[in-house]
Amino acid sequence: MAIVPKKVKLDAGGDTLAIEWQDGHVSVYGYESLRDSCPCATCTGAEGGTPRKQAKAISDALPMFKKAARPLRAEIAGRYALQIFWSDGHSSGIYGFSYLRDLCACDECRAAKMKKAGDLKS
């Protein structure tokens, strides 16, 4: 079964993006976490640069001087992903729906991931 959103809502709770999936599950993502999870080559370090999470850890030493990135808008890319246009000028990350669903950190999804990891070890 394809993973498809039913509804996408920016600013769902102030600093969150919420996705209601076709199966009825709702995933809520904090903007900072979502931006840090950008799957593009620049942010993952695949193009040879420093991965965003590693660079961010260094720059977080002075957080009061850095404005947090916020999504300006989001668009469906094809039938498989969400493209987010961030206030820091970044927009090359295409967040596949299956990737977004895997990023869900709700209790139900965390428990399912732990069970799956346990099944793989057996």
Side-chain angles (χ1 to χ4, degrees):
M1 181 170 92
I3 298 173
V4 181
K6 184 176 178 181
K7 185 189 301 185
V8 176
K9 185 175 181 183
L10 284 177
D11 216 19
D15 285 337
T16 60
L17 176 134
I19 298 178
E20 180 182 349
W21 301 98
Q22 289 289 346
D23 66 2
H25 185 77
V26 175
S27 300
V28 179
Y29 309 92
Y31 290 160
E32 183 176 2
S33 172
L34 199 56
R35 177 65 182 92
D36 288 346
S37 298
C38 178
C40 82
T42 300
C43 292
T44 61
E47 68 172 14
T50 303
R52 176 174 170 79
K53 287 182 183 179
Q54 187 178 348
K56 186 175 178 293
I58 296 165
S59 71
D60 278 352
L62 300 169
M64 67 290 250
F65 296 112
K66 188 173 135 196
K67 199 171 194 176
R70 300 182 58 78
L72 301 173
R73 70 181 194 279
E75 298 175 358
I76 301 295
R79 294 183 182 169
Y80 69 96
L82 189 66
Q83 182 176 12
I84 301 174
F85 296 81
W86 295 95
S87 61
D88 63 2
H90 189 69
S91 63
S92 60
I94 304 294
Y95 295 77
F97 296 143
S98 58
Y99 177 70
L100 284 167
R101 187 66 183 255
D102 285 344
L103 285 179
C104 184
C106 75
D107 292 342
E108 179 184 342
C109 290
R110 269 198 309 259
K113 288 174 197 168
M114 289 175 65
K115 182 182 181 325
K116 186 176 180 181
D119 290 347
L120 292 175
K121 289 180 182 178
S122 312

